[in-house]
Amino acid sequence: MDPTLSPGEAVVAYLRARAPGLPAAPFDPRAVTARARRALRRRNRLRNSAVSVAGAGLAYLMLALAGPLPVPGVGPVSLPGSNTLRAVIADFVPGAPPGPRRWPSDVDRLEKEVLPVIEELRVFYYVPESDTCRILEYSRGQFGDPGCSDLMALDPEARADFDRVTAAVKRSGVAVERIFRNGGICVQVPDSSWQYNYQYVYKPGPDMPPETRWPGEQWTHIRGDWWFHRAHDD
């Protein structure tokens, strides 16, 4: 074997010597190595780009679902498209509050079935937690089941009025956690959040959102005197 040849050239010469007629082809090991290194760098760039895009997408998704975030000197800031994304997610995630697509139909049913009873009885606070822990505070007084409140026990009339509110809520088909008054008639809906409460609010008056008191608090107008309110969990 020719000692002046490089290892790669020597292998090629050896194979040609034992394969007459093999077409000659230039072989440059340095060029092959350089091409391999360039291909490896391209793959690394593509992999890093994919990781960066995926990371940015995940960060956007998490921030969008978190909702408006307080920014010092600016106030709550929402990412573009975050409301639409949360509305889509709300329709599929168990325990999530109702999304904007459900709001109009929910308030239509609340206005038809629940609001008239609440206003007629002048209900201030209603909690349908269970059959053994009912609370009704209204024009006749403050009533509750013994063992879960220190209120007066429900008398027959209070029990009948409680049942009227409960029947109205069931007819509406809206899941209700409690009803109370706080500048309007608030219908709180169940959710699995530890940070916020969500409620439909019937608030007659100017078509302007009430003033917010906490970072992350949000009022969204639905129609007429109805709003959707996100408040901090009490």
Side-chain angles (χ1 to χ4, degrees), residues 38 97 115 131 185 192 223:
R38 287 196 296 271
L115 190 59
D131 292 339
I185 297 176
S192 58
R223 65 161 178 78

Side-chain angles (χ1 to χ4, degrees), residues 22-119:
L22 183 71
F27 178 78
D28 186 348
R30 294 187 182 87
V32 172
T33 302
R35 284 196 297 271
R37 287 174 177 168
R38 287 196 296 271
L40 180 61
R41 285 196 293 269
R42 284 196 299 271
R43 286 196 297 270
N44 288 338
R45 285 197 298 270
L46 289 173
R47 182 181 61 192
N48 292 338
S49 297
V51 170
S52 298
V53 170
L58 179 61
Y60 171 85
L61 179 63
M62 294 176 64
L63 291 172
L65 291 177
L69 300 175
V71 177
V74 178
V77 175
S78 294
L79 292 180
S82 59
N83 288 336
T84 301
L85 179 60
R86 287 196 299 274
V88 172
I89 294 296
D91 290 337
F92 298 99
V93 177
R101 289 184 293 187
R102 281 179 47 190
W103 296 349
S105 60
D106 279 359
V107 300
D108 283 347
R109 297 193 302 274
L110 289 172
E111 187 170 301
K112 177 183 177 183
E113 303 291 351
V114 178
L115 190 59
V117 179
I118 297 297
E119 291 183 320

Side-chain angles (χ1 to χ4, degrees), residues 16 70 75 87 149 218 229:
R16 283 205 190 103
S149 74
Q218 186 178 38
H229 183 212

Side-chain angles (χ1 to χ4, degrees), residues 73-233:
V74 178
V77 175
S78 294
L79 292 180
S82 59
N83 288 336
T84 301
L85 179 60
R86 287 196 299 274
V88 172
I89 294 296
D91 290 337
F92 298 99
V93 177
R101 289 184 293 187
R102 281 179 47 190
W103 296 349
S105 60
D106 279 359
V107 300
D108 283 347
R109 297 193 302 274
L110 289 172
E111 187 170 301
K112 177 183 177 183
E113 303 291 351
V114 178
L115 190 59
V117 179
I118 297 297
E119 291 183 320
E120 177 190 343
L121 297 176
R122 287 183 290 166
V123 173
F124 303 110
Y125 194 74
Y126 162 82
V127 179
E129 290 189 3
S130 71
D131 292 339
T132 58
C133 190
R134 300 164 295 180
I135 295 177
L136 179 64
E137 300 179 11
Y138 70 132
S139 56
R140 289 190 60 248
Q142 299 178 346
F143 300 88
D145 282 321
C148 69
S149 74
D150 55 0
L151 305 176
M152 293 185 296
L154 282 87
D155 59 24
E157 186 173 353
R159 193 176 301 112
D161 291 335
F162 180 95
D163 291 343
R164 283 188 62 192
V165 179
T166 301
V169 169
K170 289 181 178 179
R171 287 196 304 271
S172 74
V174 178
V176 172
E177 187 166 302
R178 60 176 175 165
I179 299 174
F180 60 97
R181 291 181 187 254
N182 184 16
I185 297 176
C186 306
V187 181
Q188 183 176 326
V189 295
D191 73 277
S192 58
S193 168
W194 58 267
Q195 186 177 9
Y196 298 111
N197 289 330
Y198 299 87
Q199 53 214 17
Y200 294 111
V201 181
Y202 177 72
K203 190 176 181 64
D207 190 14
M208 293 289 291
E211 183 179 354
T212 56
R213 293 166 292 180
W214 307 98
E217 182 181 10
Q218 186 178 38
W219 289 87
T220 306
H221 187 235
I222 301 174
R223 65 161 178 78
D225 295 324
W226 285 95
W227 299 80
F228 192 79
H229 183 212
R230 184 178 69 184
H232 277 271
D233 196 339

Side-chain angles (χ1 to χ4, degrees), residues 1-11 13-14:
M1 186 176 290
D2 190 343
T4 64
L5 298 178
S6 68
E9 292 170 337
V11 170
Y14 176 83

